[in-house]
Amino acid sequence: MPIVVIDPGHGGSDPGAVANGLQEKTLTLEIARLVRDKLESRYIVDARLTRDADVYVGLSARADYANQLGASYFVSLHHNAGGGTGFESFVYPGTRNTETGRRQDVLHNRVADFFESYGFPDRGKKEANFTVVRETAMPAVLLENLFLDTQADADALKDQSFLNALADAVTTGIADALSLSS
Ligand SMILES: [Zn+2]
């Protein structure tokens, strides 16, 4: 059975972005748990989290965890800040034309369609030298799900039904990227 590692960004002493009454570390964990549970209830897959509590886990430790499990896919969940709106995803530079990029296309398009149905723009499929996508031995992607410091984005992320639908989109995107069996 394939193993998928879901990585809820930040945690513990590292809250990530904090704005509009939201903390990135709390949202990433909530969505990661939803995705894990949806994946395992709908597909033949072993879904693991790099953290399942409000604790600090270093970036290399997150990648090591997935490497030691021999995971098939690593999906890191984050929320943006710094002014802007919408959704973007990142893979390691130079991997857009590999299996990593093919999976990014599938997952990104599924999640971008969800956000666009709520009027949030697709900021694109991007590359960045982030530790968790660099040090993972398997294809890896990092999702930036809206901007906590933009009011409309934050308002959406405060809506439980929106979070659940986002988790559905991420779940379907991962399943399609990996051709998981139901
Ligand atoms: Zn983050």
Side-chain angles (χ1 to χ4, degrees), residues 19-155:
N20 289 308
L22 294 170
Q23 289 194 98
E24 185 179 357
K25 68 174 183 177
T26 307
L27 274 175
T28 59
L29 180 56
E30 184 171 358
I31 296 165
R33 285 170 168 162
L34 288 170
V35 170
R36 174 195 60 197
D37 294 347
K38 289 172 188 292
L39 277 171
E40 292 200 329
S41 68
R42 297 174 190 173
Y43 301 98
I44 300 170
V45 66
D46 181 357
R48 310 283 188 100
L49 303 185
T50 55
R51 66 179 179 93
D52 196 6
D54 181 19
V55 293
Y56 178 81
V57 180
L59 296 174
S60 294
R62 295 169 193 249
D64 289 347
Y65 174 73
N67 293 344
Q68 283 165 17
L69 282 172
S72 296
Y73 202 22
F74 184 95
V75 179
S76 188
L77 300 178
H78 287 257
H79 303 279
N80 240 322
T85 183
F87 166 69
E88 59 197 13
S89 68
F90 294 88
V91 294
Y92 187 66
T95 63
R96 283 282 306 141
N97 291 324
T98 70
E99 174 67 8
T100 298
R102 190 196 66 78
R103 293 185 192 178
Q104 180 187 22
D105 288 347
V106 173
L107 174 54
H108 179 107
N109 290 344
R110 183 67 189 82
V111 176
D113 284 351
F114 161 75
F115 281 127
E116 287 182 324
S117 75
Y118 282 84
F120 295 110
D122 179 358
R123 303 169 61 87
K125 297 158 189 161
K126 302 182 177 181
E127 299 177 330
N129 186 14
F130 294 142
T131 302
V132 292
V133 298
R134 183 182 64 246
E135 296 187 359
T136 36
M138 72 295 306
V141 66
L142 185 146
L143 307 183
E144 292 278 7
N145 295 318
L146 307 183
F147 283 69
L148 296 193
D149 57 350
T150 294
Q151 190 70 54
D153 293 38
D155 286 347

